[in-house]
Amino acid sequence: MAKEFYASSDVVFGKDAVHKLSEILKAYKAKSVMVVYGSSVKRVGIAQKVLNEVEKAQVKITVFEGVIPNPTNEVVEEAAEIARRENVDVFVAVGGGSCIDLTKAVNILMTNEGPIGRYGGIGLVKTPVLPLIAIPTTAGTSSEITNVVALTDTKAVCKYVIIDNKITANKVIADPEFTKSTPPSVTAATGMDAITHAVESYISNMATPLTEYHSLKSLQIFHKNLPLAVKDGSDMAAREQMMLGCIIVGFGFSNANLGLVHGIAHTLSAHFHLAHGMANAAVLPYVMEYNAESCPEKMVELARAIELSVTGNLEEDKYLLSRELLRLTKELQIKTLSQQGIEEKDFEMLADDVLKEPVLNFNPRQGITKEDILAILKKAF
């Protein structure tokens, strides 16, 4: 059976890559540019570096600073209204996954009728969007390279995704220097998000040889370099490898999709505003333990890729990865669900909502029950 593998973005990678920005804007014949970023990007001076480059292109500049974690439909509509009023013709997103996802969503509404919620699902964006340049400042979400937007619907109290090849950023400027100011806890959380992407996409029931290659390679990079980047944020070799890994894994999971870890994380973020990476990391080892029953050979392949000691006994070896992930989350001081403010009384409600998550369709172990989810939540508590 024929398999599709989609990859689109043009990537400029490496130190001082941002200096290419004005040249890119001129090539687009940009007249009115919206630069989107949040308070932390502004505080550490990255926003100003980007704005300096945009100014060189001699364009009208509109700034939107209202990025929030787990962006909501309301924030998307607010930013889109400003962008339409200013006749924006090119977008520049500077930040982590929340910023880039927000900008991708705003871009949809520039050429497609609102509200944004109508595009939740796969392939529902009708009209091509405007040029978008993504400049990541974290190494984790891979939003800069994927065809996915994750948004929060505050009325339905759920997190949902828009998946469409039309919305992928046209250009990516990946400068590892821009991740240097990321605090250790955020480096750890976003890095565990990246590891989740690698592992979940490798065992996805939509995985292909092309996606598996990207998933395996990126996991090797993350496993080696994430502890180094957390321990010493100025270790630019590790920072560069983490950013490179995020681009590699983005090609993998945007084609293979994700699974139960993300189903639980989306629900935790929607109800309790947990940071996406922290939500993923808290449940990742236990979901992998649960999934090992359905894909033991793949679990061993992942373990072997990161040089864990494989014994040859499949019944034992299939749990090597989940144990290593648990060890890693402890080393990186990832908070448990209870430490993140979740209470046991919330489990029933959370489990009910997780079962509604479309991403569960791609999980290798099917027939997931409420009891299964409750057991995972209790272990992660």
Side-chain angles (χ1 to χ4, degrees):
M1 185 188 292
K3 301 286 187 182
E4 183 180 348
F5 183 89
Y6 178 80
S8 173
S9 300
D10 182 357
V11 181
V12 183
F13 186 95
K15 191 175 187 300
D16 297 327
V18 73
H19 295 319
K20 291 281 187 182
L21 180 54
S22 60
E23 183 184 313
I24 293 168
L25 290 172
K26 287 174 184 174
Y28 281 128
K29 296 182 170 57
K31 293 183 176 65
S32 179
V33 175
M34 177 178 265
V35 184
V36 182
Y37 53 81
S39 57
S40 61
V41 170
K42 182 179 181 180
R43 187 173 61 250
V44 298
I46 293 172
Q48 193 55 54
K49 288 181 182 176
V50 172
L51 288 170
N52 291 344
E53 296 301 322
V54 177
E55 284 168 6
K56 292 177 186 176
Q58 297 179 311
V59 294
K60 176 184 173 186
I61 301 172
T62 302
V63 170
F64 184 81
E65 297 182 21
V67 176
I68 58 171
N70 303 307
T72 62
N73 290 349
E74 289 84 356
V75 175
V76 172
E77 301 287 348
E78 176 192 347
E81 187 179 337
I82 296 167
R84 285 192 293 263
R85 188 173 68 229
E86 300 298 332
N87 295 313
V88 168
D89 54 10
V90 178
F91 288 90
V92 178
V94 191
S98 294
C99 170
I100 298 171
D101 278 9
L102 169 64
T103 311
K104 286 195 276 193
V106 171
N107 200 8
I108 292 169
L109 295 183
M110 296 301 286
T111 56
N112 296 268
E113 286 186 18
I116 191 63
R118 73 196 302 178
Y119 300 105
I122 301 175
L124 299 179
V125 178
K126 303 299 181 198
T127 308
V129 298
L130 302 175
L132 190 160
I133 303 155
I135 306 178
T137 60
T138 62
T141 68
S142 302
S143 181
E144 66 272 13
I145 210 80
T146 69
N147 58 355
V148 183
V149 165
L151 297 174
T152 300
D153 184 330
T154 54
K155 293 185 173 66
V157 194
C158 70
K159 201 163 180 179
Y160 70 98
V161 293
I162 300 168
I163 302 175
D164 199 295
N165 290 346
K166 295 185 191 72
I167 66 176
T168 308
N170 304 83
K171 302 275 186 179
V172 178
I173 295 176
D175 186 340
E177 292 284 332
F178 282 8
T179 66
K180 194 174 181 178
S181 58
T182 307
S185 62
V186 178
T187 299
T190 54
M192 286 305 299
D193 187 20
I195 285 177
T196 304
H197 292 153
V199 173
E200 282 210 293
S201 59
Y202 189 75
I203 64 173
S204 163
N205 56 30
M206 294 287 286
T208 69
L210 263 175
T211 66
E212 288 169 353
Y213 171 81
H214 288 83
S215 303
L216 266 188
K217 182 62 181 174
S218 58
L219 179 62
Q220 291 171 330
I221 292 171
F222 299 142
H223 186 257
K224 179 180 178 182
N225 290 281
L226 177 56
L228 300 175
V230 172
K231 185 178 180 181
D232 178 7
S234 63
D235 183 340
M236 291 315 299
R239 291 283 196 194
E240 183 170 298
Q241 285 297 301
M242 286 300 297
M243 186 164 262
L244 178 64
C246 283
I247 290 171
I248 293 170
V249 81
F251 290 135
F253 83 81
S254 62
N255 285 279
N257 241 301
L258 300 164
L260 178 57
V261 180
H262 272 74
I264 297 174
H266 287 167
T267 306
L268 287 166
S269 295
H271 285 281
F272 300 104
H273 311 294
L274 264 60
H276 178 65
M278 288 293 276
N280 271 330
V283 300
L284 176 62
Y286 308 108
V287 175
M288 289 306 110
E289 179 185 41
Y290 170 79
N291 278 334
E293 299 296 325
S294 62
C295 53
E297 292 86 0
K298 278 200 157 186
M299 289 297 182
V300 174
E301 288 161 11
L302 287 165
R304 192 174 279 117
I306 54 174
E307 301 178 353
L308 300 182
S309 298
V310 176
T311 66
N313 182 332
L314 189 62
E315 281 304 302
E316 291 180 12
D317 291 346
K318 67 185 179 185
Y319 296 116
L320 287 172
L321 181 75
S322 59
R323 290 187 193 125
E324 172 61 10
L325 292 171
L326 182 58
R327 185 202 67 76
L328 188 59
T329 56
K330 288 179 178 175
E331 178 188 334
L332 300 179
Q333 298 182 341
I334 298 294
K335 293 178 179 178
T336 62
L337 291 183
S338 59
Q339 289 170 334
Q340 293 184 61
I342 309 301
E343 297 180 29
E344 283 192 84
K345 67 179 177 61
D346 304 317
F347 286 179
E348 291 278 332
M349 173 273 294
L350 286 167
D352 285 333
D353 277 8
V354 170
L355 288 171
K356 301 171 190 172
E357 283 284 328
V359 78
L360 268 57
N361 293 321
F362 310 110
N363 196 70
R365 185 169 174 179
Q366 290 291 294
I368 299 166
T369 66
K370 181 177 179 179
E371 287 67 35
D372 293 335
I373 297 165
L374 287 171
I376 290 166
L377 292 172
K378 284 170 185 169
K379 285 182 178 180
F381 187 67

PDB file of all heavy atoms in Angstrom, residues 167-199:
ATOM      1  N   ILE A 167      -0.947  24.743   6.335  1.00  0.00           N
ATOM      2  CA  ILE A 167      -0.611  25.677   7.414  1.00  0.00           C
ATOM      3  C   ILE A 167       0.843  25.590   7.870  1.00  0.00           C
ATOM      4  O   ILE A 167       1.272  26.365   8.722  1.00  0.00           O
ATOM      5  CB  ILE A 167      -1.541  25.481   8.626  1.00  0.00           C
ATOM      6  CG1 ILE A 167      -1.328  24.104   9.284  1.00  0.00           C
ATOM      7  CG2 ILE A 167      -2.999  25.653   8.219  1.00  0.00           C
ATOM      8  CD1 ILE A 167      -2.160  23.890  10.542  1.00  0.00           C
ATOM      9  N   THR A 168       1.610  24.667   7.319  1.00  0.00           N
ATOM     10  CA  THR A 168       3.022  24.532   7.701  1.00  0.00           C
ATOM     11  C   THR A 168       3.778  25.828   7.415  1.00  0.00           C
ATOM     12  O   THR A 168       3.561  26.459   6.381  1.00  0.00           O
ATOM     13  CB  THR A 168       3.673  23.378   6.909  1.00  0.00           C
ATOM     14  OG1 THR A 168       2.864  22.211   7.055  1.00  0.00           O
ATOM     15  CG2 THR A 168       5.067  23.078   7.410  1.00  0.00           C
ATOM     16  N   ALA A 169       4.669  26.210   8.324  1.00  0.00           N
ATOM     17  CA  ALA A 169       5.477  27.414   8.104  1.00  0.00           C
ATOM     18  C   ALA A 169       6.279  27.274   6.806  1.00  0.00           C
ATOM     19  O   ALA A 169       6.815  26.206   6.512  1.00  0.00           O
ATOM     20  CB  ALA A 169       6.429  27.631   9.280  1.00  0.00           C
ATOM     21  N   ASN A 170       6.354  28.357   6.044  1.00  0.00           N
ATOM     22  CA  ASN A 170       7.098  28.324   4.779  1.00  0.00           C
ATOM     23  C   ASN A 170       8.602  28.318   5.004  1.00  0.00           C
ATOM     24  O   ASN A 170       9.352  27.661   4.291  1.00  0.00           O
ATOM     25  CB  ASN A 170       6.737  29.544   3.930  1.00  0.00           C
ATOM     26  CG  ASN A 170       5.245  29.649   3.692  1.00  0.00           C
ATOM     27  OD1 ASN A 170       4.533  30.161   4.548  1.00  0.00           O
ATOM     28  ND2 ASN A 170       4.779  29.154   2.564  1.00  0.00           N
ATOM     29  N   LYS A 171       9.032  29.095   5.996  1.00  0.00           N
ATOM     30  CA  LYS A 171      10.456  29.221   6.301  1.00  0.00           C
ATOM     31  C   LYS A 171      10.666  28.998   7.795  1.00  0.00           C
ATOM     32  O   LYS A 171       9.851  29.443   8.618  1.00  0.00           O
ATOM     33  CB  LYS A 171      10.982  30.613   5.932  1.00  0.00           C
ATOM     34  CG  LYS A 171      10.793  30.996   4.463  1.00  0.00           C
ATOM     35  CD  LYS A 171      11.930  30.472   3.609  1.00  0.00           C
ATOM     36  CE  LYS A 171      11.799  30.992   2.171  1.00  0.00           C
ATOM     37  NZ  LYS A 171      12.908  30.526   1.320  1.00  0.00           N
ATOM     38  N   VAL A 172      11.757  28.351   8.123  1.00  0.00           N
ATOM     39  CA  VAL A 172      12.140  28.164   9.526  1.00  0.00           C
ATOM     40  C   VAL A 172      13.534  28.746   9.717  1.00  0.00           C
ATOM     41  O   VAL A 172      14.459  28.425   8.955  1.00  0.00           O
ATOM     42  CB  VAL A 172      12.157  26.671   9.921  1.00  0.00           C
ATOM     43  CG1 VAL A 172      12.617  26.502  11.372  1.00  0.00           C
ATOM     44  CG2 VAL A 172      10.787  26.039   9.715  1.00  0.00           C
ATOM     45  N   ILE A 173      13.667  29.623  10.695  1.00  0.00           N
ATOM     46  CA  ILE A 173      14.981  30.145  11.075  1.00  0.00           C
ATOM     47  C   ILE A 173      15.305  29.558  12.443  1.00  0.00           C
ATOM     48  O   ILE A 173      14.724  29.943  13.457  1.00  0.00           O
ATOM     49  CB  ILE A 173      14.981  31.683  11.112  1.00  0.00           C
ATOM     50  CG1 ILE A 173      14.754  32.238   9.698  1.00  0.00           C
ATOM     51  CG2 ILE A 173      16.283  32.209  11.695  1.00  0.00           C
ATOM     52  CD1 ILE A 173      14.644  33.750   9.625  1.00  0.00           C
ATOM     53  N   ALA A 174      16.187  28.574  12.443  1.00  0.00           N
ATOM     54  CA  ALA A 174      16.497  27.834  13.671  1.00  0.00           C
ATOM     55  C   ALA A 174      17.896  28.201  14.149  1.00  0.00           C
ATOM     56  O   ALA A 174      18.892  27.704  13.625  1.00  0.00           O
ATOM     57  CB  ALA A 174      16.384  26.335  13.411  1.00  0.00           C
ATOM     58  N   ASP A 175      17.953  29.075  15.130  1.00  0.00           N
ATOM     59  CA  ASP A 175      19.222  29.527  15.696  1.00  0.00           C
ATOM     60  C   ASP A 175      19.326  28.998  17.127  1.00  0.00           C
ATOM     61  O   ASP A 175      18.598  29.456  18.016  1.00  0.00           O
ATOM     62  CB  ASP A 175      19.275  31.059  15.689  1.00  0.00           C
ATOM     63  CG  ASP A 175      20.629  31.605  16.135  1.00  0.00           C
ATOM     64  OD1 ASP A 175      21.383  30.856  16.798  1.00  0.00           O
ATOM     65  OD2 ASP A 175      20.932  32.773  15.835  1.00  0.00           O
ATOM     66  N   PRO A 176      20.203  28.029  17.366  1.00  0.00           N
ATOM     67  CA  PRO A 176      20.320  27.451  18.720  1.00  0.00           C
ATOM     68  C   PRO A 176      20.609  28.481  19.800  1.00  0.00           C
ATOM     69  O   PRO A 176      20.262  28.284  20.961  1.00  0.00           O
ATOM     70  CB  PRO A 176      21.484  26.457  18.579  1.00  0.00           C
ATOM     71  CG  PRO A 176      21.541  26.142  17.125  1.00  0.00           C
ATOM     72  CD  PRO A 176      21.120  27.389  16.412  1.00  0.00           C
ATOM     73  N   GLU A 177      21.222  29.596  19.437  1.00  0.00           N
ATOM     74  CA  GLU A 177      21.507  30.661  20.405  1.00  0.00           C
ATOM     75  C   GLU A 177      20.222  31.170  21.057  1.00  0.00           C
ATOM     76  O   GLU A 177      20.236  31.630  22.197  1.00  0.00           O
ATOM     77  CB  GLU A 177      22.235  31.825  19.727  1.00  0.00           C
ATOM     78  CG  GLU A 177      23.650  31.507  19.273  1.00  0.00           C
ATOM     79  CD  GLU A 177      24.650  31.463  20.421  1.00  0.00           C
ATOM     80  OE1 GLU A 177      24.425  32.146  21.429  1.00  0.00           O
ATOM     81  OE2 GLU A 177      25.654  30.736  20.304  1.00  0.00           O
ATOM     82  N   PHE A 178      19.107  31.089  20.325  1.00  0.00           N
ATOM     83  CA  PHE A 178      17.838  31.590  20.846  1.00  0.00           C
ATOM     84  C   PHE A 178      17.256  30.695  21.936  1.00  0.00           C
ATOM     85  O   PHE A 178      16.296  31.071  22.604  1.00  0.00           O
ATOM     86  CB  PHE A 178      16.825  31.752  19.711  1.00  0.00           C
ATOM     87  CG  PHE A 178      17.044  33.004  18.880  1.00  0.00           C
ATOM     88  CD1 PHE A 178      18.156  33.799  19.059  1.00  0.00           C
ATOM     89  CD2 PHE A 178      16.122  33.379  17.912  1.00  0.00           C
ATOM     90  CE1 PHE A 178      18.361  34.944  18.307  1.00  0.00           C
ATOM     91  CE2 PHE A 178      16.309  34.527  17.147  1.00  0.00           C
ATOM     92  CZ  PHE A 178      17.432  35.313  17.345  1.00  0.00           C
ATOM     93  N   THR A 179      17.805  29.483  22.111  1.00  0.00           N
ATOM     94  CA  THR A 179      17.339  28.603  23.193  1.00  0.00           C
ATOM     95  C   THR A 179      18.218  28.736  24.443  1.00  0.00           C
ATOM     96  O   THR A 179      17.909  28.154  25.472  1.00  0.00           O
ATOM     97  CB  THR A 179      17.342  27.126  22.742  1.00  0.00           C
ATOM     98  OG1 THR A 179      18.701  26.697  22.510  1.00  0.00           O
ATOM     99  CG2 THR A 179      16.541  26.929  21.461  1.00  0.00           C
ATOM    100  N   LYS A 180      19.281  29.502  24.344  1.00  0.00           N
ATOM    101  CA  LYS A 180      20.275  29.586  25.419  1.00  0.00           C
ATOM    102  C   LYS A 180      19.685  30.120  26.729  1.00  0.00           C
ATOM    103  O   LYS A 180      20.092  29.713  27.818  1.00  0.00           O
ATOM    104  CB  LYS A 180      21.428  30.491  24.961  1.00  0.00           C
ATOM    105  CG  LYS A 180      22.675  30.419  25.813  1.00  0.00           C
ATOM    106  CD  LYS A 180      23.796  31.238  25.176  1.00  0.00           C
ATOM    107  CE  LYS A 180      25.073  31.190  25.983  1.00  0.00           C
ATOM    108  NZ  LYS A 180      26.161  31.949  25.325  1.00  0.00           N
ATOM    109  N   SER A 181      18.727  31.023  26.635  1.00  0.00           N
ATOM    110  CA  SER A 181      18.154  31.641  27.835  1.00  0.00           C
ATOM    111  C   SER A 181      17.009  30.830  28.438  1.00  0.00           C
ATOM    112  O   SER A 181      16.437  31.209  29.462  1.00  0.00           O
ATOM    113  CB  SER A 181      17.657  33.052  27.504  1.00  0.00           C
ATOM    114  OG  SER A 181      16.694  33.005  26.473  1.00  0.00           O
ATOM    115  N   THR A 182      16.662  29.705  27.824  1.00  0.00           N
ATOM    116  CA  THR A 182      15.567  28.880  28.343  1.00  0.00           C
ATOM    117  C   THR A 182      15.967  28.280  29.688  1.00  0.00           C
ATOM    118  O   THR A 182      17.015  27.632  29.783  1.00  0.00           O
ATOM    119  CB  THR A 182      15.238  27.735  27.359  1.00  0.00           C
ATOM    120  OG1 THR A 182      15.017  28.281  26.059  1.00  0.00           O
ATOM    121  CG2 THR A 182      13.995  26.978  27.797  1.00  0.00           C
ATOM    122  N   PRO A 183      15.158  28.475  30.747  1.00  0.00           N
ATOM    123  CA  PRO A 183      15.514  27.947  32.081  1.00  0.00           C
ATOM    124  C   PRO A 183      15.584  26.420  32.076  1.00  0.00           C
ATOM    125  O   PRO A 183      14.946  25.773  31.232  1.00  0.00           O
ATOM    126  CB  PRO A 183      14.367  28.434  32.976  1.00  0.00           C
ATOM    127  CG  PRO A 183      13.642  29.464  32.197  1.00  0.00           C
ATOM    128  CD  PRO A 183      13.881  29.193  30.747  1.00  0.00           C
ATOM    129  N   PRO A 184      16.329  25.827  33.029  1.00  0.00           N
ATOM    130  CA  PRO A 184      16.473  24.361  33.075  1.00  0.00           C
ATOM    131  C   PRO A 184      15.137  23.613  33.111  1.00  0.00           C
ATOM    132  O   PRO A 184      14.986  22.597  32.426  1.00  0.00           O
ATOM    133  CB  PRO A 184      17.270  24.130  34.365  1.00  0.00           C
ATOM    134  CG  PRO A 184      18.040  25.399  34.564  1.00  0.00           C
ATOM    135  CD  PRO A 184      17.158  26.498  34.043  1.00  0.00           C
ATOM    136  N   SER A 185      14.178  24.099  33.905  1.00  0.00           N
ATOM    137  CA  SER A 185      12.896  23.384  34.014  1.00  0.00           C
ATOM    138  C   SER A 185      12.143  23.375  32.689  1.00  0.00           C
ATOM    139  O   SER A 185      11.507  22.381  32.320  1.00  0.00           O
ATOM    140  CB  SER A 185      12.022  24.014  35.107  1.00  0.00           C
ATOM    141  OG  SER A 185      11.723  25.362  34.783  1.00  0.00           O
ATOM    142  N   VAL A 186      12.208  24.486  31.949  1.00  0.00           N
ATOM    143  CA  VAL A 186      11.532  24.568  30.648  1.00  0.00           C
ATOM    144  C   VAL A 186      12.293  23.745  29.615  1.00  0.00           C
ATOM    145  O   VAL A 186      11.690  23.072  28.763  1.00  0.00           O
ATOM    146  CB  VAL A 186      11.390  26.037  30.191  1.00  0.00           C
ATOM    147  CG1 VAL A 186      10.725  26.117  28.821  1.00  0.00           C
ATOM    148  CG2 VAL A 186      10.600  26.840  31.218  1.00  0.00           C
ATOM    149  N   THR A 187      13.621  23.776  29.677  1.00  0.00           N
ATOM    150  CA  THR A 187      14.435  22.939  28.795  1.00  0.00           C
ATOM    151  C   THR A 187      14.081  21.470  28.993  1.00  0.00           C
ATOM    152  O   THR A 187      13.927  20.714  28.031  1.00  0.00           O
ATOM    153  CB  THR A 187      15.936  23.154  29.081  1.00  0.00           C
ATOM    154  OG1 THR A 187      16.269  24.525  28.841  1.00  0.00           O
ATOM    155  CG2 THR A 187      16.798  22.270  28.191  1.00  0.00           C
ATOM    156  N   ALA A 188      13.923  21.067  30.265  1.00  0.00           N
ATOM    157  CA  ALA A 188      13.576  19.677  30.584  1.00  0.00           C
ATOM    158  C   ALA A 188      12.190  19.322  30.063  1.00  0.00           C
ATOM    159  O   ALA A 188      12.000  18.270  29.428  1.00  0.00           O
ATOM    160  CB  ALA A 188      13.644  19.460  32.095  1.00  0.00           C
ATOM    161  N   ALA A 189      11.214  20.191  30.318  1.00  0.00           N
ATOM    162  CA  ALA A 189       9.834  19.906  29.917  1.00  0.00           C
ATOM    163  C   ALA A 189       9.677  19.855  28.395  1.00  0.00           C
ATOM    164  O   ALA A 189       9.052  18.940  27.850  1.00  0.00           O
ATOM    165  CB  ALA A 189       8.890  20.949  30.511  1.00  0.00           C
ATOM    166  N   THR A 190      10.258  20.848  27.709  1.00  0.00           N
ATOM    167  CA  THR A 190      10.142  20.862  26.247  1.00  0.00           C
ATOM    168  C   THR A 190      10.940  19.709  25.638  1.00  0.00           C
ATOM    169  O   THR A 190      10.518  19.112  24.641  1.00  0.00           O
ATOM    170  CB  THR A 190      10.606  22.202  25.654  1.00  0.00           C
ATOM    171  OG1 THR A 190      11.934  22.499  26.118  1.00  0.00           O
ATOM    172  CG2 THR A 190       9.673  23.330  26.063  1.00  0.00           C
ATOM    173  N   GLY A 191      12.057  19.371  26.260  1.00  0.00           N
ATOM    174  CA  GLY A 191      12.848  18.244  25.778  1.00  0.00           C
ATOM    175  C   GLY A 191      12.122  16.919  25.936  1.00  0.00           C
ATOM    176  O   GLY A 191      12.186  16.041  25.053  1.00  0.00           O
ATOM    177  N   MET A 192      11.399  16.756  27.038  1.00  0.00           N
ATOM    178  CA  MET A 192      10.610  15.536  27.230  1.00  0.00           C
ATOM    179  C   MET A 192       9.426  15.499  26.261  1.00  0.00           C
ATOM    180  O   MET A 192       8.998  14.419  25.846  1.00  0.00           O
ATOM    181  CB  MET A 192      10.124  15.444  28.681  1.00  0.00           C
ATOM    182  CG  MET A 192      11.210  15.076  29.683  1.00  0.00           C
ATOM    183  SD  MET A 192      12.111  13.536  29.307  1.00  0.00           S
ATOM    184  CE  MET A 192      10.777  12.335  29.351  1.00  0.00           C
ATOM    185  N   ASP A 193       8.911  16.657  25.890  1.00  0.00           N
ATOM    186  CA  ASP A 193       7.888  16.722  24.854  1.00  0.00           C
ATOM    187  C   ASP A 193       8.458  16.166  23.544  1.00  0.00           C
ATOM    188  O   ASP A 193       7.815  15.374  22.848  1.00  0.00           O
ATOM    189  CB  ASP A 193       7.443  18.182  24.666  1.00  0.00           C
ATOM    190  CG  ASP A 193       6.261  18.333  23.724  1.00  0.00           C
ATOM    191  OD1 ASP A 193       5.537  17.345  23.491  1.00  0.00           O
ATOM    192  OD2 ASP A 193       6.051  19.447  23.211  1.00  0.00           O
ATOM    193  N   ALA A 194       9.693  16.570  23.227  1.00  0.00           N
ATOM    194  CA  ALA A 194      10.347  16.092  22.008  1.00  0.00           C
ATOM    195  C   ALA A 194      10.562  14.578  22.053  1.00  0.00           C
ATOM    196  O   ALA A 194      10.354  13.877  21.055  1.00  0.00           O
ATOM    197  CB  ALA A 194      11.676  16.820  21.824  1.00  0.00           C
ATOM    198  N   ILE A 195      10.978  14.067  23.213  1.00  0.00           N
ATOM    199  CA  ILE A 195      11.160  12.617  23.370  1.00  0.00           C
ATOM    200  C   ILE A 195       9.828  11.895  23.191  1.00  0.00           C
ATOM    201  O   ILE A 195       9.752  10.835  22.557  1.00  0.00           O
ATOM    202  CB  ILE A 195      11.798  12.301  24.732  1.00  0.00           C
ATOM    203  CG1 ILE A 195      13.295  12.657  24.694  1.00  0.00           C
ATOM    204  CG2 ILE A 195      11.607  10.834  25.123  1.00  0.00           C
ATOM    205  CD1 ILE A 195      14.034  12.463  26.002  1.00  0.00           C
ATOM    206  N   THR A 196       8.763  12.484  23.728  1.00  0.00           N
ATOM    207  CA  THR A 196       7.426  11.906  23.552  1.00  0.00           C
ATOM    208  C   THR A 196       7.067  11.818  22.072  1.00  0.00           C
ATOM    209  O   THR A 196       6.518  10.812  21.605  1.00  0.00           O
ATOM    210  CB  THR A 196       6.369  12.744  24.302  1.00  0.00           C
ATOM    211  OG1 THR A 196       6.733  12.855  25.671  1.00  0.00           O
ATOM    212  CG2 THR A 196       4.987  12.105  24.204  1.00  0.00           C
ATOM    213  N   HIS A 197       7.368  12.875  21.322  1.00  0.00           N
ATOM    214  CA  HIS A 197       7.095  12.862  19.881  1.00  0.00           C
ATOM    215  C   HIS A 197       7.846  11.725  19.190  1.00  0.00           C
ATOM    216  O   HIS A 197       7.295  11.035  18.324  1.00  0.00           O
ATOM    217  CB  HIS A 197       7.516  14.194  19.254  1.00  0.00           C
ATOM    218  CG  HIS A 197       6.685  15.349  19.683  1.00  0.00           C
ATOM    219  ND1 HIS A 197       7.155  16.644  19.702  1.00  0.00           N
ATOM    220  CD2 HIS A 197       5.398  15.421  20.118  1.00  0.00           C
ATOM    221  CE1 HIS A 197       6.202  17.445  20.129  1.00  0.00           C
ATOM    222  NE2 HIS A 197       5.131  16.722  20.399  1.00  0.00           N
ATOM    223  N   ALA A 198       9.104  11.531  19.580  1.00  0.00           N
ATOM    224  CA  ALA A 198       9.917  10.484  18.958  1.00  0.00           C
ATOM    225  C   ALA A 198       9.354   9.096  19.255  1.00  0.00           C
ATOM    226  O   ALA A 198       9.176   8.265  18.344  1.00  0.00           O
ATOM    227  CB  ALA A 198      11.361  10.588  19.453  1.00  0.00           C
ATOM    228  N   VAL A 199       9.055   8.852  20.516  1.00  0.00           N
ATOM    229  CA  VAL A 199       8.605   7.522  20.934  1.00  0.00           C
ATOM    230  C   VAL A 199       7.198   7.224  20.419  1.00  0.00           C
ATOM    231  O   VAL A 199       6.940   6.149  19.857  1.00  0.00           O
ATOM    232  CB  VAL A 199       8.666   7.413  22.479  1.00  0.00           C
ATOM    233  CG1 VAL A 199       8.041   6.120  22.945  1.00  0.00           C
ATOM    234  CG2 VAL A 199      10.106   7.507  22.967  1.00  0.00           C
TER     235      VAL A 199
END
